[in-house]
Structures are given as structure tokens and as C-alpha cells.
Amino acid sequence: DAGVTQSPTHLIKTRGQQVTLRCSPISGHKSVSWYQQVLGQGPQFIFQYYEKEERGRGNFPDRFSARQFPNYSSELNVNALLLGDSALYLCASSLRAEASYEQYFGPGTRLTVT
Amino acid sequence: AQTVTQSQPEMSVQEAETVTLSCTYDTSENNYYLFWYKQPPSRQMILVIRQEAYKQQNATENRFSVNFQKAAKSFSLKISDSQLGDTAMYFCAFMNPRRGWTGNQFYFGTGTSLTVIP
């Protein structure tokens, strides 16, 4: 079975622009979480979605938004990009939202804001 | 607010030896989960081991085991018989499950870079 996939792999944007990152979970997984990993730091939790509903939100500004589609894939949108948004964005999927279900991480999307 | 602290930015161990990575956390919650994740260079993050706070028994997974001290809010990872493939960044993580729709929260430490020396 395919693992978690993310697109694009790399992305370069200019300050002020908007970006959309995509994630496809493992087949059968209904929960998707998004993380931001700045170089040299641990991942920071952005959102968790389960059954198309937001189940968790980290301490990120409203410029960050996400949604989950009926096929459980997900998009992360970031508006008005800042230099500080440059990071590896990780997506993780799990069967359900509870912590007892293991999260499987994708390879990430490397976003560079210039 | 919950925080996770990993005080060892870098560690090294000889192949076949044992190494312990430290993690402390701060929370006022009684029910939570703790994790150790491994992120090899340029590869995807994978779960190493998970501990549920209400379980007193320390979790073990083959060569990996934890020392969970709830009162001290400490959660260390012991890797026995270290192998070259264990070289990676290791992250300690905390998950606070919430009831209803107030949302789950995940927190990661800053990581420990482990190098296994042949």
C-alpha cells in the first residue's frame, strides 16, 4: 500500500503570496494532521482533521487554514507568506484521531519564502 | 501550556552499545500520551515507541524501551545494542487528548541527533 504522499516536494514563493500544500493519507485513514518543522527544530502542530472536521489547532495565525475532503485528502493553505514561514511542512495520517492510533508521516513539502 | 524539553542536542554511541536519550515535559493534565519519533537523514519520520500516562508499566519495542517517571515528568528512551541504522534525529512528543471538539494538541521537543559510530 502507498504511504502518505505530499505535493509538491519543493516550493519557492515570494513574500505576500499564497500557497496550497496537498496531502493524501494512507488508504482507509480518516485523520490528517499538519506540522511545520523549521530547520533545526522539532515539528510544531498546526491542525488535525478527522472526518472533515477540525479536531485540533495549534498556535498559528489565521493566515494558516486547512480543509479535508470527502476522500480524506487534505490541503493546507497559507496566505500572506512571511520569510518565517519557510519550513518543511509535514502531513501525517492515522485511522482515527485518538492518540492510540499511530500517525504515519509523509516526506514533507519544503517551502522556501524569498 | 505544555512543553517538551530535550536537553541533549547531540549524542553518539558505539555500535552495539546502549544509549539513553532524555526528555522532560511539563503539563497539568493527568491523561496524556508520550512518544518517541525517529527522523533519519532525508527520510520520513517514524514512530519508535508510545507510552500512555495511565499505564505504569514502561513500554518496550524490541531494542527500544522507555523509563517513564510520571511524578518527575520524565520520559527517557533507551536504545540497546545500537545499530548503524539507528543514526537519526530523535524527537520526544507529547499528546494531550481532549474531549469533545476542543481539539487534540501535539507538542514536540527540539530533538536529539544520535550518531552510531562503527
Side-chain angles (χ1 to χ4, degrees):
Chain A
D1 284 339
V4 177
T5 59
Q6 293 186 243
S7 63
T9 305
H10 296 88
L11 202 54
I12 299 175
K13 289 285 189 178
T14 304
R15 273 182 302 175
Q17 287 187 316
Q18 175 264 342
V19 67
T20 298
L21 311 180
R22 295 175 176 83
C23 172
S24 292
I26 292 172
S27 177
H29 285 195
K30 298 181 178 181
S31 177
V32 170
S33 296
W34 286 95
Y35 297 85
Q36 180 195 66
Q37 187 176 16
V38 174
L39 193 62
Q41 297 184 19
Q44 287 198 50
F45 173 65
I46 309 176
F47 289 110
Q48 181 186 38
Y49 276 77
Y50 176 67
E51 291 278 21
K52 296 167 284 183
E53 298 280 348
E54 183 181 299
R55 289 296 302 272
R57 173 185 283 260
N59 187 26
F60 278 80
D62 291 343
R63 299 186 296 108
F64 289 77
S65 63
R67 55 179 174 169
Q68 187 176 32
F69 298 98
N71 66 354
Y72 304 111
S73 66
S74 177
E75 285 183 352
L76 175 71
N77 295 285
V78 186
N79 294 322
L81 284 167
L82 303 174
L83 295 179
D85 294 331
S86 294
L88 180 67
Y89 287 85
L90 298 170
C91 171
S93 77
S94 57
L95 278 170
R96 292 174 59 91
E98 290 83 352
S100 55
Y101 291 89
E102 180 176 348
Q103 289 192 97
Y104 293 83
F105 283 82
T109 293
R110 173 72 62 187
L111 172 66
T112 301
V113 181
T114 61
Chain B
Q2 281 76 208
T3 59
V4 179
T5 302
Q6 294 179 251
S7 58
Q8 306 153 313
E10 295 181 357
M11 293 191 72
S12 61
V13 61
Q14 291 291 138
E15 194 175 5
E17 295 296 310
T18 296
V19 64
T20 299
L21 309 183
S22 301
C23 173
T24 58
Y25 59 94
D26 185 27
T27 183
S28 57
E29 303 288 338
N30 190 50
N31 179 34
Y32 50 88
Y33 291 80
L34 295 163
F35 309 85
W36 278 98
Y37 283 91
K38 170 185 177 181
Q39 189 174 40
S42 302
R43 294 187 62 185
Q44 292 167 229
M45 191 172 307
I46 58 173
L47 177 66
V48 175
I49 202 165
R50 171 177 55 216
Q51 175 80 40
E52 296 160 46
Y54 66 87
K55 290 187 176 180
Q56 294 184 344
Q57 186 174 5
N58 290 325
T60 61
E61 287 289 341
N62 300 314
R63 298 183 295 107
F64 299 87
S65 62
V66 299
N67 182 8
F68 173 47
Q69 301 289 330
K70 190 173 184 179
K73 298 180 181 176
S74 170
F75 183 61
S76 60
L77 174 70
K78 185 172 80 172
I79 306 174
S80 304
D81 186 26
S82 296
Q83 301 175 0
L84 297 179
D86 295 334
T87 292
M89 197 74 165
Y90 287 81
F91 292 99
C92 177
F94 170 100
M95 192 273 195
N96 176 21
R98 300 284 184 88
R99 294 180 180 177
W101 298 101
T102 57
N104 299 322
Q105 292 288 338
F106 296 87
Y107 301 89
F108 280 76
T110 52
T112 296
S113 178
L114 177 68
T115 301
V116 179
I117 303 168

